[in-house]
Amino acid sequence: MPLVNAKEMLLRATKERYAVGAFNVTNLIQLEAVVEAATERKAPLIIQTSVTPSKFLRPKVIAAIYRTLAESTPIPVCLHLDHCNDVEYCNTCADAGYTNIMIDASKQDFKENIRQTKKVCDYCHAIGDISVEGELGTVAGVEDQVKVAEDEAALCDPERALEFITETGVDIFAPAIGTAHGVYKTKNPKLDFSRLQRIAEIINGKQPRTPLVIHGGTGLQPDVVKRLVSLGGSKFNVSTDLKHSLIDTAYEYIASHRDEYNPGKIDVAVKEAIKGRITYWIDLLGCAGKAS
Ligand code: 13P
C-alpha cells in the first residue's frame, strides 16, 4: 500500500476501541523490524521520527525509504514527524512526503499554541492528504528536543480541548493526562483517567471526530495500557522501549562475540529483538488483524 495519513486509520480505531502503535525509529534496521512485525500481525502502523533523527537522515531520504517499504507491504503505514516545535520544519517534512505531522507548541500559551498549530494544519491540508497532531497541556520528560520538567508539566483542560480542536482544525489530538516520556520512576505513575474519559466524551462522544493520542507508552503496565485504550486513546506512542531494546541487544551481542567482526549479525540480533517488542505492543493494543 502507499503511505497513508493517520486520521482514517485512527477514526476506525476510535470506533472499534483499539489503538494503533506509533513507534519511534532512528535507523533502517528498526524501521524494517517495525514494518515486518506489523505485517506479520496484519496491523495498521504508524512509524515516527523525532526531529533529530529526521534531520540526521534527511526528510526526503527517510520518506523515500518509508515509501518503498510501505509499498511492499499490504498493511497501511503512516509516516509521522514527532514533537516538532518549529513550524517551518513541520512544513519541510510535509513537503518531503511525511503523511502525519505533529506540531508541538504545547509549551506556548493557549493562543500561541492555537496560532502555530493552525498554521501547520492550513499548510498540510492545502498541499495534500496530510494529517496533523497537536498537543494541549505538556507531557513531562524528554523526547528529543522537547524537554519538560515534572514541575512544568500541565494537564490538558478538558473544557479548552474542543476550542483548541475547532480553532486549529487539527486532525489528531494529544491531551496531557499524566503520562511521561522516558522511564517512569514508579511502577504506578499517577495518571488522570477521568480527565481522559471526559475529553473523549467531549470530543468523540457523539461521533468519533478527532482521535486521541497517548504519549509516553514505555513502562506502562499492561492493564493501564488497556484502560487508556478503552477510554479512547487510539494512537499509542512508544519510543524509549525501542531505544533500550536496540542498545541493550547490540551491546550484549558485541560483548558475547568479542572476536567477531560481522556487523550484519548485530543487525540481525537487533532486528529480532525489536520485532519482539513491536509484536508485544501490537497484541496489547488490540490492533492485530485490523489492517484490512
Ligand atoms: P516513551 O519514550 O515514553 O515511550 O514515549 C514515546 C512518545 O510519547 C513519543 O512521542
Side-chain angles (χ1 to χ4, degrees), residues 22 24 48 50 82-83 102 139 142-143 180-184 214-219 235 237-241 243:
N24 288 62
Q48 320 197 127
S50 305
D82 204 28
H83 286 286
M102 178 182 188
V139 175
V142 178
E143 177 50 48
H181 295 126
V183 177
Y184 290 98
I214 306 295
H215 282 256
T218 299
K235 172 175 182 274
N237 287 9
V238 179
S239 174
T240 304
D241 186 8
K243 288 182 196 153

Side-chain angles (χ1 to χ4, degrees), residues 81-97:
L81 177 70
D82 204 28
H83 286 286
C84 181
N85 54 17
D86 172 356
V87 169
E88 285 310 309
Y89 195 69
C90 285
N91 296 349
T92 300
C93 288
D95 286 336

Side-chain angles (χ1 to χ4, degrees), residues 17-279:
R17 293 286 158 141
Y18 62 86
V20 176
F23 302 110
N24 288 62
V25 302
T26 51
N27 68 21
L28 183 58
I29 304 301
Q30 282 179 312
L31 182 53
E32 287 195 322
V34 170
V35 173
E36 255 184 50
T39 303
E40 282 170 17
R41 302 299 294 132
K42 298 185 174 52
L45 174 63
I46 299 173
I47 294 168
Q48 320 197 127
T49 63
S50 305
V51 173
T52 303
S54 166
K55 286 188 174 165
F56 182 74
L57 292 170
R58 287 169 293 151
K60 279 192 178 162
V61 174
I62 294 177
I65 297 171
Y66 285 133
R67 200 172 301 117
T68 307
L69 281 173
E71 281 167 4
S72 66
T73 173
I75 62 169
V77 183
C78 165
L79 173 55
H80 168 88
L81 177 70
D82 204 28
H83 286 286
C84 181
N85 54 17
D86 172 356
V87 169
E88 285 310 309
Y89 195 69
C90 285
N91 296 349
T92 300
C93 288
D95 286 336
Y98 279 67
T99 52
N100 195 65
I101 301 285
M102 178 182 188
I103 168 72
D104 181 352
S106 61
K107 273 191 160 185
Q108 309 295 329
D109 66 33
F110 186 62
K111 270 202 165 146
E112 181 59 13
N113 188 354
I114 287 183
R115 193 188 70 78
Q116 292 188 18
T117 305
K118 180 171 173 4
K119 229 174 155 188
V120 175
C121 287
D122 289 348
Y123 188 83
C124 288
H125 296 161
I127 66 162
D129 202 9
I130 303 168
S131 48
V132 177
E133 175 178 334
E135 178 172 314
L136 194 58
T138 41
V139 175
V142 178
E143 177 50 48
D144 194 24
Q145 343 149 291
V146 177
K147 300 178 181 68
V148 179
E150 260 174 51
D151 59 1
E152 253 187 318
L155 299 187
C156 172
D157 177 351
E159 308 309 322
R160 294 202 116 175
L162 190 58
E163 187 185 346
F164 180 80
I165 289 168
T166 311
E167 291 287 314
T168 57
V170 82
D171 302 284
I172 305 170
F173 180 59
I177 50 141
T179 56
H181 295 126
V183 177
Y184 290 98
K185 288 187 192 123
T186 133
K187 205 173 160 209
N188 292 306
K190 206 165 161 265
L191 309 188
D192 198 334
F193 296 103
S194 56
R195 186 178 298 260
L196 175 63
Q197 187 169 25
R198 175 98 186 97
I199 293 166
E201 268 163 21
I202 292 173
I203 294 170
N204 295 322
K206 285 200 189 106
Q207 186 177 344
R209 84 175 250 189
T210 311
L212 302 180
V213 186
I214 306 295
H215 282 256
T218 299
L220 294 176
Q221 297 302 304
D223 59 321
V224 170
V225 172
K226 285 191 174 159
R227 191 163 169 204
L228 292 168
V229 173
S230 76
L231 292 175
S234 66
K235 172 175 182 274
F236 214 94
N237 287 9
V238 179
S239 174
T240 304
D241 186 8
L242 307 181
K243 288 182 196 153
H244 284 210
S245 179
L246 185 156
I247 290 172
D248 289 347
T249 306
Y251 180 83
E252 279 157 23
Y253 188 89
I254 292 167
S256 57
H257 298 79
R258 207 51 209 94
D259 297 328
E260 194 176 273
Y261 287 86
N262 185 343
K265 288 198 175 178
I266 305 170
D267 292 346
V268 170
V270 167
K271 189 173 166 187
E272 282 312 304
I274 303 271
K275 276 182 75 176
R277 294 311 300 154
I278 301 298
T279 304

